[in-house]
Amino acid sequence: MSSILIKSAQIVNEGKTSLSDIYISNGRIEMIAEEINHAADQTIDARGLHLLPGLIDDQVHFREPGLTYKADIWHESRAAVAGGTTSFMEMPNTVPNTLTQKLLQDKYDIAAEKSLANYSFFMGAANDNLDEVLKTNPRDVCGIKIFMGSSTGNMLVDNEATLEKIFAEAPTLIAVHCEDEETIQRNLQAFKEKYGEEGLQPFMHPLIRTAEACYLSSSKAVELAKKHDTRLHILHISTAAETALFINSIPLKEKKITAEACVHHLWFADADYEEKGNFIKWNPAVKTVADREGVFQAVLDGHIDVIATDHAPHTFEEKSKPYAQAPSGGPLVQHALQALLDLVKQGKMTLEQVVQKTAHNTAELFQIENRGFVREGYWADLVLVDLDRPYTVSKDNILSKCGWSPFEGHTFSSTIAHTLVSGNLAFTDGKIIEVGTGHRLLFNR
């Protein structure tokens, strides 16, 4: 590996911002100091730029294997790196579903060959694969994923006995999608009876997949976790009511129950369905302004611990279908950091809080080894951003395979200048650099 010297960067790390140089050798940060004059194979002039630890996205759907017509690890990892995300954790509702250790290993093998970003993959849980789930290695697998509510794919775990066993016996962290399926189906049927399937519209999505459905399922997951002393992480909190299920009175490292918010639930609200339609149709649904503000406040005050994307591409053609046929999910990983930096520009959060929620806390929550901080000895997963250089999203600069974005046409206030993954310069000045692949994440468990 080559050495890299970054000069005069405003480093945002561990609650403070300071002007420093960074020297990187053999993929790791060797030195951080006000002035470094070591010879290096490459020098990056970072004057005027802010340097952050690369984002660690704990929830993406890269669709490989089985759904590669809409996304794949090669394309989506490039989009991630272009957006300053240096590590991702990918979900098991690919085809076939990741329900055996062999299928899990197959995904790691693909990523080892194709992923530009660092990677980990969740083991999937179903009603009938407990033996396989219990074989999951906590050292090199990020966690176990349970769908307590249907989403894309067919992995709903609704057998009460199975849920009890998984929560009681899981060898590592459990990440959960929480929506109560019975409530959703009852609401859907009522709307179909009133409007007919062809009369359903995108703005009805949060009226079908309601706040009540979310709270019922999330509270059940919390109850199970408390009963069995499970390490539980609830994904994509979308309602103000749910935030009361979590605490901020103890340090993150002591929490057994944690939560995630996603960029789209911090950015959009139900009024946006009129313009965006199915292109902001996610599960859980984008809900009211009050819900958005409640989730955002929970991020700021520590009831919610991390920010992620739930990046879940579908083709433009799929999303253009009538509401009832259009799948839920959309691409976000390329523009997540820029969206958060816009919120910083608006005075809604600080740069230090962005770093805390997208890198530090994710690394601590998952116990990731030697990543998520700008520290000597840690892997050089870094992103340099220009906070004063606007960037407009267009089809010409979207790298996700699906070729569209809910942010199309929006001009962000900042631009991603450079991204380093495990010490390699992987993105610079708008161009991907094919320098090799990312690393498999390891966990201190």
Side-chain angles (χ1 to χ4, degrees):
M1 279 186 170
S2 62
S3 57
I4 299 175
L5 177 60
I6 301 175
K7 296 289 291 182
S8 303
Q10 290 284 350
I11 300 174
V12 185
N13 185 61
E14 301 189 69
K16 62 183 181 180
T17 299
S18 57
L19 183 66
S20 294
D21 295 351
I22 295 183
Y23 183 76
I24 298 160
S25 180
N26 295 317
R28 294 181 184 260
I29 298 169
E30 188 170 298
M31 182 184 297
I32 304 170
E34 288 186 14
E35 182 75 24
I36 300 174
N37 294 307
H38 291 357
D41 297 312
Q42 190 170 9
T43 300
I44 297 174
D45 182 354
R47 283 176 297 179
L49 303 179
H50 284 74
L51 184 149
L52 325 177
L55 276 66
I56 305 171
D57 194 337
D58 75 351
Q59 188 187 183
V60 303
H61 302 261
F62 283 179
R63 307 299 192 201
E64 188 170 5
L67 299 166
T68 53
Y69 70 92
K70 65 178 80 181
D72 57 47
I73 288 171
W74 187 80
H75 281 92
E76 308 317 303
S77 68
R78 287 159 60 92
V81 168
T85 293
T86 53
S87 300
F88 65 84
M89 303 178 206
E90 207 264 354
M91 292 297 166
N93 54 330
T94 40
V95 179
N97 298 154
T98 314
L99 297 175
T100 70
Q101 293 296 321
K102 181 186 182 306
L103 290 170
L104 180 61
Q105 184 58 47
D106 288 347
K107 294 175 81 168
Y108 279 105
D109 293 343
I110 294 167
E113 182 182 343
K114 296 183 179 181
S115 181
L116 195 58
N118 306 313
Y119 52 87
S120 192
F121 295 91
F122 282 90
M123 175 65 186
N127 283 327
D128 57 0
N129 76 327
L130 182 62
D131 288 347
E132 288 291 313
V133 166
L134 296 182
K135 295 175 186 175
T136 303
N137 184 352
R139 171 67 173 154
D140 59 10
V141 177
C142 51
I144 295 159
K145 172 66 181 291
I146 303 177
F147 287 91
M148 289 177 64
S150 65
S151 189
T152 305
N154 185 30
M155 296 182 63
L156 176 64
V157 180
D158 56 1
N159 182 289
E160 296 291 336
T162 299
L163 279 174
E164 290 277 355
K165 287 181 180 178
I166 295 173
F167 272 79
E169 301 177 33
T172 188
L173 174 149
I174 294 174
V176 184
H177 175 129
C178 287
E179 291 183 282
D180 183 68
E181 187 66 13
E182 184 179 340
T183 300
I184 292 166
Q185 291 304 319
R186 183 173 63 248
N187 293 339
L188 178 59
Q189 186 59 36
F191 270 77
K192 283 182 177 179
E193 289 175 1
K194 185 172 182 179
Y195 299 101
E197 184 167 307
E198 67 283 352
L200 300 182
Q201 300 295 324
F203 76 87
M204 298 175 182
H205 197 54
L207 307 176
I208 295 169
R209 305 188 81 97
T210 57
E212 178 193 20
C214 294
Y215 188 86
L216 281 171
S217 186
S218 293
S219 57
K220 179 178 180 179
V222 168
E223 182 182 340
L224 281 167
K226 288 179 176 178
K227 177 180 178 180
H228 296 289
D229 196 31
T230 311
R231 179 63 190 89
L232 173 68
H233 184 51
I234 300 187
L235 304 169
H236 43 45
I237 296 298
S238 63
T239 75
E242 288 173 283
T243 65
L245 295 169
F246 311 104
I247 62 172
N248 65 353
S249 56
I250 60 174
L252 175 57
K253 63 182 178 181
E254 296 177 18
K255 290 186 181 183
K256 294 296 293 284
I257 298 171
T258 54
E260 167 211 275
C262 287
V263 169
H264 49 287
H265 292 127
L266 301 176
W267 186 276
F268 299 106
D270 51 6
D272 295 310
Y273 286 108
E274 183 175 357
E275 177 191 352
K276 299 288 185 179
N278 293 327
F279 294 96
I280 60 164
K281 180 185 178 186
W282 278 279
N283 298 340
V286 168
K287 297 183 176 68
T288 66
V289 170
D291 283 312
R292 180 182 66 191
E293 298 310 312
V295 172
F296 194 85
Q297 181 57 42
V299 168
L300 297 180
D301 67 23
H303 285 88
I304 293 178
D305 305 287
V306 300
I307 300 173
T309 66
D310 194 13
H311 174 89
H314 299 284
T315 67
F316 185 86
E317 291 72 23
E318 287 172 324
K319 295 293 278 186
S320 300
K321 292 179 179 180
Y323 166 79
Q325 286 80 51
S328 294
L332 277 172
V333 75
Q334 186 174 346
H335 304 115
L337 177 55
Q338 287 167 299
L340 295 174
L341 294 177
D342 265 20
L343 297 178
V344 171
K345 200 85 165 183
Q346 295 165 21
K348 294 182 177 180
M349 62 192 311
T350 66
L351 274 174
E352 291 81 6
Q353 287 171 323
V354 170
V355 167
Q356 189 76 42
K357 297 296 180 173
T358 62
H360 297 344
N361 280 10
T362 321
E364 189 171 318
L365 191 156
F366 282 89
Q367 299 172 271
I368 301 171
E369 184 174 275
N370 293 335
R371 300 187 191 274
F373 296 84
V374 184
R375 290 175 178 169
E376 292 179 356
Y378 273 52
W379 289 101
D381 295 332
L382 308 170
V383 55
L384 289 124
V385 298
D386 187 335
L387 298 180
D388 298 310
R389 183 179 168 194
Y391 176 97
T392 301
V393 181
S394 69
K395 290 194 182 300
D396 293 337
N397 54 34
I398 292 170
L399 297 182
S400 287
K401 191 173 184 178
C402 67
W404 65 272
S405 166
F407 292 117
E408 254 175 88
H410 181 77
T411 297
F412 289 113
S413 60
S414 61
T415 292
I416 310 300
H418 312 283
T419 306
L420 288 82
V421 179
S422 295
N424 286 314
L425 185 61
F427 178 80
T428 186
D429 296 326
K431 296 183 177 66
I432 293 288
I433 303 174
E434 301 284 358
V435 291
T437 56
H439 295 183
R440 181 170 181 165
L441 298 178
L442 297 175
F443 305 90
N444 290 318
R445 300 168 175 160

